[in-house]
Amino acid sequence: MSCDEKRSNPHAFRNDAAAKVTGRAKYADDLKAHGMVHVVPVYSDEVHAELVSLDVSGAEKMPGVVKVITADDVRRIGGQPTWSYLIPDYRMIVGAGDHIRCNSDVIALVAAETRAQALEAAKRVTSVTKPLPVVLDAEEALKNPPVFLYEDRVFEGKKNNVVNHYKVRHGRGKEALSECDFILEHTFRTQHHEHAYIEPESALCTLRPDGVMEVMGSMQHPFSTRRFVAAILGCPLADVEVRSIPMGGGFGGKDDTAAIVCARAALAARLTHRPAKLTYAREWSMRESYKRHPYILHYKMGVKDGRFYAAEVEIIADAGAYCSATPWVTFRSTAQCCGPYPVPHVHCDVYGVYTNNVFTGAFRGFGSPQVNFAIEELADMAAEKLGISPVEFRRRNMVRQGSITVTGQALSSHEVTLEKAMDAVLAAANIEEKMKKCSHGVPAEGSDELYGVGLAISSRGMSLGGEGADFNSAIINVNFDGSILLEVAVHENGQGAESAFMLIAAKELGCDVKRIRYRMASTSNIPDGGTTVASRGTLMGGGATVIAARNLKEKMASVLCKKLCCAPGEVTFHDDRIWGKDGAVSMSWQEAGDAFYWSKDYPYAFGVFQGGHVSWDEETGQGDAYFTWVYGCQAVELTVNRKTGKVKVLGMTAAHEIGRAINPPMLLGQIYGGMVQGLGYGLQEEMKNEGGRMKTLNFNSYRLFRAADLPEMQAFFLESGDPNSPSGAKGIGEPALELMAPAVANAIASATGERFFQIPVTPERILARFKARAAEAEAKEHGVGKSEPEGT
Amino acid sequence: MSAVTNINGREVAIPDEELEMNLLEWLREVRDLTGAKNGCGIGVCGACTVLVDGKAVRTCRQKVAFIAGKSVVTIEGVSPPEGPLHPLQQAFIDYGAIQCGFCTPGMVMAGLALLARTPHPTRPEIRKALAANLCRCTGYQQIVDAIEAAAGEQKSDT
Ligand code: FES
Ligand code: FES
């Protein structure tokens, strides 16, 4: 199935599209409440310091100020200013006596009649601080720490900056390296990567007369938001109701930070007894929101008989000042430390490490883009050394049906379709022919453009895996007039989750999708379904929807069978009606609703989907890391100008296994969007930081790709179903992002003949390499020794 | 004598004290036209785009005085609340050009401005016309598809 028939109308289905295309959709900052106060955060200029004291008296006297809020206010109402879900270390407001641990920390909030007044007053908050040593390099923070971010923290029996440590001990581990024909030893580095959702964080909170704090915010995890809000207010979860409203993009980035923005607004509402709105300026969002973890990846990859045979891996993930989702993110890096290759002997250590950088957390891809960058470059390097094509190397080495992963998991629960995905890309973009035309550093006569193509493949465990309890729920409520309300405990992030669930429910119930209305979700309506991360939305929410629909059909059959003159097991649901045995009699959904009414019963069902079996041994890193997997391949074609280092992207192609396609145009949209985010990750996006102070705070300095810079893309999906997924669908959000950066690095290498071990591969880095080579060549002419420029 | 502007077909008087306000803020907070969004506040994302005398304008970079005596169309004015959608809006829906939707109002306005001056643009022309508008979700591909399709429809109409 391809995107190629773009001339024919694909008729994408989306329940929220009309509202969004007319400007009627209300995002958080589009909402107002009577008497609301405007809240703004107050930052400190420090990177690491003791906050000795705080003076808010000047700010309090400013016109329009309703309240200046500090951590003391949180404690006074019995709340916790410091909280998070894995390690409770996040300072929602840093209090006097505590430490500022990064330049993104907030030390007070100002609530005023207008935003302008709040902003003016915020400038009058002053503080006394005592600077502490700063550590910004994760490797230094791990191995040679000049300072401990958390003085009292002890991990693995000693004081250190370690957030978490995962291991893989597989086969004979690093011992087997000595048996290899050759070893590729390289260090790879990745950057702070910003989610760059176009809508900055925003929240409107109201303390309702019934005592419930109602939260409407731009966040991607209502239940996580509820926990942050309840923590800061010191109240039970039942006293907070988070309602879902349209959100302007998340990509994993609107979990903690967005939840914390909601919590701060709720705090202001609680303390001022007025509705409170807190809307982030882009600069605050970029300064404060968590990023993708920068990684330092040390690989020793041994090749024997043309195969990856043994690996010794050390990965250091910069968690920044707070833990956030670091253990979950690095879990994936651990379980997938050799990418899609079933390396038989692996010794791997992965560390999450505290530094004084901005914190890092969930970001679409979740610990795989960094690893894939390294592994897929290593695959190309191995191919080159073996004198075979990158395609041939991958064919020999990739996971296949029944392969044993580096965690000892047999890939047998589903169809392993990696080769099919790769073949789809090769065929669609004629990659193997194009590989023959690559410049390898030598441009065509009279041209400065170096031509290259590159590809990358991946296998990806779906959903949370061995680190989380994976379950979800859905509610289907048929009204007595036959209209249907559906609600799933997965949040709509803009990817079309609600529409997908409606289509899944309609298919399972054999009814017209128009009969179904998606209910505005609220944390008070449905049990906690976990976060919309790890591409688990369609898999877990869709699974729960199918199960709720099956439960509903069973219930309806038992009540309606008499009227349909058959046994309950003979009732069927199709063509928007409910049928008796062999289609002899049928009734409309409205008649069914009516029949339920007179039976004094409800056509109502709750469905729970529990993710499949997973297991994990902390000591050996062995177990069934994920209950099912997906496979994908992406390729890119580009030129590099040898005078300017500028890269021009000529084409991008992707093929992904997704189980089953629910809403094909939206699925393709996920792939296109993911490819472009991956391209930005590989080529140009980087949060720049000077001494711990972020310098790229808006889209003029943090550059995203624009339509005019991009080529046309091709996307394909493969459907082989999956017995582990009730709906057959798996997911696409993250696989779509995890491949383009390594494909780009490989393409640049095939164009320039130079390997880059650090992303983004910017024109500056490319030029620097060209210059270093030229200098080297010159030195050689003069008889001076050669140096290997690495890591530039 | 206060200034006058036309917004979505209606005459609106602008009190003197509002002339110096930021145009985006004024549209959203004073006029309750929240379709235009604030994505960057510095004129680089296009989420705040409206049409002023038929041209795409980034309102976050303008004062209210800029629209005095001019005619403004915001996303709310592109199609009537009860009526059918504009063909370009329908194409955005059909071609899957909408994900989170935050960039959508600006994209639609940029698309309308393009189709007004170039009724049958090529795909590279469409891409160029969207160069001032950021979308983080879609990779732009289906937005280009939608504008191209709407332009094609225009052709069959005439
Ligand atoms: S908000 Fe105006 S261009 Fe971004
Ligand atoms: S659809 Fe989300 S930014 Fe464009």
Side-chain angles (χ1 to χ4, degrees):
Chain A
M1 172 80 211
S2 92
C3 56
D4 274 356
E5 309 102 51
K6 51 177 80 84
R7 306 270 157 190
S8 68
N9 190 329
H11 296 292
F13 170 73
R14 273 199 82 122
N15 63 333
D16 54 353
K20 286 176 172 174
V21 84
T22 53
R24 283 172 219 147
K26 294 285 181 205
Y27 297 75
D29 192 42
D30 302 338
L31 303 171
K32 275 182 189 173
H34 277 290
M36 75 183 185
V37 293
H38 294 263
V39 186
V40 305
V42 180
Y43 296 98
S44 154
D45 192 45
E46 297 291 352
V47 174
H48 195 194
E50 185 188 334
L51 181 60
V52 179
S53 64
L54 200 58
D55 183 1
V56 300
S57 57
E60 276 170 343
K61 291 190 203 101
M62 292 293 288
V65 170
V66 179
K67 178 144 187 71
V68 182
I69 299 163
T70 66
D72 288 342
D73 293 299
V74 183
R75 289 191 202 97
R76 192 168 47 74
I77 60 168
Q80 294 166 251
T82 298
W83 193 79
S84 191
Y85 46 89
L86 292 178
I87 298 179
D89 58 6
Y90 194 87
R91 271 63 182 165
M92 290 188 266
I93 305 179
V94 180
D98 198 354
H99 289 184
I100 292 160
R101 289 181 172 82
C102 67
N103 190 241
S104 312
D105 281 348
V106 166
I107 56 173
L109 302 170
V110 178
E113 299 295 343
T114 69
R115 184 171 166 95
Q117 288 171 330
L119 287 169
E120 252 336 287
K123 295 180 196 155
R124 309 296 161 101
V125 174
T126 59
S127 59
V128 177
T129 54
K130 210 194 286 168
L132 295 163
V134 169
V135 61
L136 301 173
D137 181 90
E139 188 145 25
E140 186 191 2
L142 173 69
K143 294 177 180 168
N144 190 16
V147 65
F148 297 110
L149 265 84
Y150 296 89
E151 272 296 324
D152 306 333
R153 184 170 165 81
V154 172
F155 185 83
E156 292 181 339
K158 57 178 193 285
K159 235 171 137 163
N160 54 35
N161 285 315
V162 177
V163 177
N164 66 299
H165 174 199
Y166 289 129
K167 301 166 207 166
V168 173
R169 304 289 182 256
H170 182 59
R172 282 178 291 112
K174 55 186 166 186
E175 241 180 76
L177 278 171
S178 61
E179 300 156 30
C180 290
D181 301 331
F182 61 89
I183 294 168
L184 298 167
E185 183 173 353
H186 292 283
T187 294
F188 300 83
R189 286 169 206 276
T190 70
Q191 74 277 40
H192 278 108
H193 185 205
E194 158 70 32
H195 302 79
Y197 27 75
I198 306 297
E199 177 203 28
E201 297 79 359
S202 175
L204 175 62
C205 296
T206 309
L207 184 56
R208 284 197 322 229
D210 64 354
V212 169
M213 181 61 72
E214 187 169 292
V215 178
M216 295 205 259
S218 171
M219 43 82 217
Q220 74 179 72
H221 188 359
F223 294 100
S224 173
T225 299
R226 184 172 66 162
R227 289 195 286 274
F228 275 100
V229 172
I232 208 167
L233 299 180
C235 71
L237 294 176
D239 289 2
V240 178
E241 179 168 2
V242 181
R243 308 182 69 186
S244 288
I245 55 171
M247 179 183 80
F251 319 113
K254 281 190 180 152
D255 198 335
D256 326 25
T257 305
I260 290 157
V261 168
C262 291
R264 290 179 184 144
L267 176 67
R270 164 75 175 72
L271 292 168
T272 62
H273 300 281
R274 289 167 62 173
K277 157 98 66 95
L278 172 52
T279 295
Y280 265 39
R282 171 62 55 189
E283 288 77 8
W284 308 341
S285 171
M286 302 269 273
R287 177 176 184 170
E288 201 184 318
S289 68
Y290 55 96
K291 315 296 175 214
R292 186 189 304 286
H293 293 71
Y295 274 29
I296 301 167
L297 310 107
H298 300 294
Y299 274 86
K300 275 189 208 163
M301 179 64 85
V303 179
K304 187 182 170 191
D305 301 332
R307 288 174 189 271
F308 282 153
Y309 184 70
E312 184 181 351
V313 185
E314 183 189 59
I315 296 175
I316 301 162
D318 182 347
Y322 304 108
C323 167
S324 183
T326 295
W328 288 343
V329 170
T330 50
F331 172 77
R332 180 171 296 279
S333 315
T334 310
Q336 298 185 186
C337 69
C338 289
Y341 306 107
V343 183
H345 307 288
V346 178
H347 180 106
C348 169
D349 290 281
V350 180
Y351 299 90
V353 180
Y354 285 119
T355 68
N356 294 114
N357 287 312
V358 65
F359 75 138
T360 50
F363 191 162
R364 187 178 188 183
F366 216 74
S368 73
Q370 298 96 329
V371 167
N372 290 353
F373 164 59
I375 283 291
E376 286 298 282
E377 280 215 304
L378 287 168
D380 265 34
M381 282 184 267
E384 197 184 326
K385 206 143 183 166
L386 292 165
I388 60 175
S389 84
V391 172
E392 178 53 29
F393 181 83
R394 286 176 174 79
R395 273 197 215 289
R396 280 191 204 170
N397 277 274
M398 66 170 60
V399 287
R400 293 173 181 278
Q401 199 67 38
S403 286
I404 307 292
T405 70
V406 299
T407 74
Q409 177 175 8
L411 297 177
S412 52
S413 73
H414 59 282
E415 194 183 334
V416 178
T417 51
L418 182 51
E419 190 166 33
K420 277 191 200 166
M422 186 171 82
D423 283 335
V425 168
L426 294 178
N430 206 8
I431 296 295
E432 282 171 295
E433 273 311 302
K434 287 174 179 164
M435 279 182 168
K436 293 177 192 151
K437 299 190 191 125
C438 292
S439 302
H440 301 289
V442 186
E445 273 281 322
S447 167
D448 284 324
E449 300 297 330
L450 300 162
Y451 173 82
V453 293
L455 89 161
I457 58 172
S458 73
S459 57
R460 180 181 185 91
M462 291 307 291
S463 207
L464 295 181
E467 277 299 280
D470 221 355
F471 59 117
N472 212 318
S473 68
I475 295 170
I476 305 179
N477 180 10
V478 186
N479 296 296
F480 293 129
D481 70 350
S483 64
I484 300 172
L485 287 167
L486 169 68
E487 182 173 358
V488 184
V490 164
H491 188 244
E492 169 68 56
N493 287 357
Q495 78 282 47
E498 292 182 359
S499 308
F501 300 146
M502 290 168 73
L503 291 169
I504 289 170
K507 178 163 186 262
E508 195 65 35
L509 295 174
C511 73
D512 190 335
V513 71
K514 289 199 193 88
R515 183 170 293 290
I516 302 174
R517 177 159 288 275
Y518 198 92
R519 192 181 190 287
M520 181 194 198
S522 145
T523 52
S524 297
N525 297 344
I526 193 163
D528 188 343
T531 184
T532 310
V533 297
S535 303
R536 64 191 287 278
T538 312
L539 173 62
M540 299 304 297
T545 303
V546 168
I547 288 166
R550 287 181 189 159
N551 292 346
L552 178 74
K553 286 193 288 188
E554 204 180 305
K555 166 97 198 190
M556 289 181 77
S558 72
V559 171
L560 301 174
C561 60
K562 265 203 209 115
K563 273 205 171 335
L564 292 168
C565 316
C566 64
E570 292 163 342
V571 177
T572 54
F573 296 74
H574 57 87
D575 295 299
D576 204 32
R577 290 180 75 80
I578 299 140
W579 303 75
K581 192 180 180 198
D582 302 328
V585 260
S586 73
M587 61 168 69
S588 68
W589 280 82
Q590 180 160 11
E591 286 161 348
D594 200 52
F596 260 87
Y597 178 83
W598 290 109
S599 336
K600 294 188 272 188
D601 205 343
Y602 293 104
Y604 175 97
F606 181 63
V608 178
F609 176 53
Q610 296 167 322
H613 158 84
V614 288
S615 61
W616 184 251
D617 181 299
E618 291 272 341
E619 277 318 300
T620 62
Q622 296 296 287
D624 293 343
Y626 298 96
F627 68 86
T628 190
W629 294 69
V630 292
Y631 304 93
C633 176
Q634 294 184 359
V636 64
E637 191 184 346
L638 48 73
T639 56
V640 183
N641 186 289
R642 71 175 175 162
K643 294 239 167 80
T644 61
K646 268 190 88 158
V647 174
K648 189 171 160 55
V649 183
L650 306 175
M652 293 191 276
T653 308
H656 290 273
E657 161 68 41
I658 41 82
R660 183 167 81 79
I662 306 291
N663 199 358
M666 297 323 301
L667 181 62
L668 294 173
Q670 285 288 307
I671 303 179
Y672 296 136
M675 277 200 271
V676 173
Q677 286 184 0
L679 187 74
Y681 183 53
L683 281 179
Q684 63 183 38
E685 292 180 33
E686 178 167 27
M687 285 302 292
K688 298 230 173 80
N689 158 337
E690 275 172 34
R693 292 179 181 84
M694 215 81 75
K695 292 298 165 194
T696 42
L697 294 179
N698 207 323
F699 297 135
N700 53 350
S701 49
Y702 190 88
R703 302 282 298 278
L704 304 180
F705 272 105
R706 292 173 183 272
D709 310 327
L710 292 167
E712 299 296 331
M713 294 178 262
Q714 299 190 82
F716 303 89
F717 49 83
L718 313 173
E719 297 178 274
S720 26
D722 193 316
N724 302 287
S725 165
S727 71
K730 299 202 251 197
I732 187 61
E734 301 189 282
L737 189 144
E738 67 183 10
L739 286 162
M740 197 43 79
V744 158
N746 284 336
I748 290 176
S750 72
T752 61
E754 296 286 341
R755 262 299 139 196
F756 290 84
F757 297 92
Q758 181 169 15
I759 44 173
V761 189
T762 58
E764 295 75 35
R765 287 189 173 131
I766 295 174
L767 263 192
R769 178 70 67 82
F770 287 167
K771 282 194 185 137
R773 283 294 182 220
E776 232 173 62
E778 199 164 310
K780 212 169 165 188
E781 250 171 54
H782 296 88
V784 187
K786 172 181 168 193
S787 69
E788 187 65 27
E790 196 178 297
T792 51
Chain B
M1 179 61 204
S2 71
V4 179
T5 185
N6 183 299
I7 298 182
N8 297 333
R10 280 216 198 156
E11 290 293 313
V12 172
I14 311 172
D16 285 347
E17 65 274 16
E18 291 173 11
L19 284 170
E20 283 305 296
M21 270 184 86
N22 175 281
L23 179 53
L24 175 60
E25 194 183 339
W26 183 78
L27 287 170
R28 291 177 51 82
E29 304 297 328
V30 180
R31 306 302 314 173
D32 285 328
L33 294 167
T34 55
K37 308 294 182 200
N38 188 338
C40 70
I42 60 165
V44 295
C45 79
C48 64
T49 306
V50 305
L51 299 184
V52 179
D53 288 346
K55 292 209 184 70
V57 167
R58 277 165 272 179
T59 54
C60 70
R61 300 294 283 162
Q62 299 293 344
K63 296 265 164 69
V64 176
F66 177 76
I67 59 166
K70 295 181 181 151
S71 159
V72 178
V73 180
T74 70
I75 188 69
E76 290 89 346
V78 172
S79 56
E82 303 291 339
L85 295 176
H86 186 282
L88 181 61
Q89 290 174 313
Q90 190 60 48
F92 264 68
I93 297 177
D94 289 348
Y95 284 78
I98 303 166
Q99 287 188 34
C100 81
F102 203 72
C103 71
T104 308
M107 289 287 180
V108 170
M109 302 320 282
L112 286 173
L114 168 69
L115 295 182
R117 58 174 196 271
T118 313
H120 303 296
T122 62
R123 288 180 73 90
E125 282 171 338
I126 297 171
R127 288 182 177 276
K128 218 168 134 209
L130 299 180
N133 294 63
L134 289 175
C135 175
R136 186 57 154 171
C137 302
T138 64
Y140 310 97
Q141 181 93 5
Q142 289 157 310
I143 297 177
V144 178
D145 292 349
I147 296 174
E148 188 184 36
E153 225 164 274
Q154 248 176 211
K155 191 186 276 176
S156 55
D157 287 352
T158 49

